[in-house]
Amino acid sequence: MTCGQCMKLTLDWNCIIEVEENRPQANHVNELISFHRMGRFEVALLAASASENNKSKRFPGNASAFKDRVAALGWQDLPLVPMPGVFGLSYWDFCYCVEDGEEFERDRDAIWQTIAPSVPREPVDHLAEGQKVTDETIQSEELAKWRNIWCDVISAYSHIHEGRDVFVTNNTRDFQKNAGKLFKLGMKHISTPAMALATIEQIAKA
């Protein structure tokens, strides 16, 4: 485990929801951010979180809703882990152009195969026969479940691509359960907020 100021933690989307809804690990998430503000560690949010489904199970359509939710939590000072640009599913201010498309697809597919092997990767496979993938359909409620997995995969990819140390999530089914396989793909450590906080407190005392 990396120590001190060089340690970089990434909070996934459910960490935001944890605090918004005052769930059991909300205090742990807030404590992690407090350590960030003390300058001991870096805690960042994911640009991919801006592409998560809204309550109507549709694609948000713009990044304003994400920015507003972050602002409501007082987290505007947290850095953002950029995501690869994907037409119809990412926002220009939050993403970067992929230089090697084949490498990106290979790495993305390896993550998808690890956390959702039984779910087809192509959105067209989740549509009615004869229905085409367009900007409208890819953002529709019909593809809400596919987008949930896509966001998890892109979140993991973004974290790995940036060489970050700890992926913080309560999604134990997809991430902690597959930690060994994800480690081989470059995801160094996966922790719940409570586990990450315990590690940071131990390092801070050293």
Side-chain angles (χ1 to χ4, degrees):
M1 176 71 76
T2 308
C3 64
Q5 290 180 316
C6 51
M7 182 187 288
K8 296 181 178 181
L9 294 87
T10 306
L11 304 182
D12 84 340
W13 177 242
N14 61 42
C15 290
I16 294 176
I17 296 174
E18 195 79 14
V19 177
E20 284 183 329
E21 299 184 359
N22 197 28
R23 293 182 180 178
Q25 296 215 38
N27 288 337
H28 301 313
V29 175
N30 283 322
E31 285 296 319
L32 290 174
I33 293 172
S34 294
F35 272 104
H36 167 83
R37 289 172 176 158
M38 287 188 283
R40 295 295 304 273
F41 310 92
E42 182 185 285
V43 177
L45 302 175
L46 285 154
S49 293
S51 299
E52 294 277 358
N53 294 323
N54 57 31
K55 290 185 178 180
S56 65
K57 295 184 179 182
R58 294 184 64 88
F59 185 75
N62 60 67
S64 297
F66 173 74
K67 292 178 180 178
D68 289 346
R69 291 175 76 169
V70 171
L73 294 171
W75 292 356
Q76 304 96 312
D77 58 317
L78 297 184
L80 202 62
V81 181
M83 67 184 293
V86 178
F87 285 109
L89 290 170
S90 56
Y91 305 110
W92 288 115
D93 291 346
F94 285 9
C95 67
Y96 57 87
C97 292
V98 174
E99 295 182 359
D100 188 333
E102 291 185 2
E103 181 180 24
F104 164 66
E105 291 182 4
R106 183 175 65 249
D107 293 345
R108 178 205 58 192
D109 289 352
I111 296 170
W112 193 298
Q113 180 62 28
T114 298
I115 67 177
S118 63
V119 180
R121 289 187 285 277
E122 298 302 322
V124 68
D125 294 328
H126 300 265
L127 296 173
E129 186 175 354
Q131 192 173 3
K132 296 181 179 180
V133 177
T134 64
D135 283 348
E136 183 177 352
T137 56
I138 206 167
Q139 297 178 3
S140 68
E141 182 178 351
E142 192 171 3
L143 287 178
K145 291 184 178 180
W146 176 85
R147 282 196 309 277
N148 276 341
I149 296 171
W150 182 87
C151 282
D152 285 344
V153 170
I154 295 300
S155 292
Y157 176 91
S158 301
H159 173 85
I160 293 169
H161 184 267
E162 293 298 311
R164 301 183 66 82
D165 301 298
V166 185
F167 190 80
V168 185
T169 179
N170 276 329
N171 184 356
T172 57
R173 181 190 63 187
D174 296 324
F175 290 104
Q176 280 89 338
K177 177 183 174 182
N178 296 302
K181 294 178 181 179
L182 289 168
F183 178 82
K184 294 179 180 179
L185 299 177
M187 188 170 274
K188 304 172 187 176
H189 301 281
I190 304 170
S191 299
T192 63
M195 292 166 58
L197 180 61
T199 299
I200 279 185
E201 289 178 333
Q202 185 176 11
I203 292 173
K205 292 177 181 176

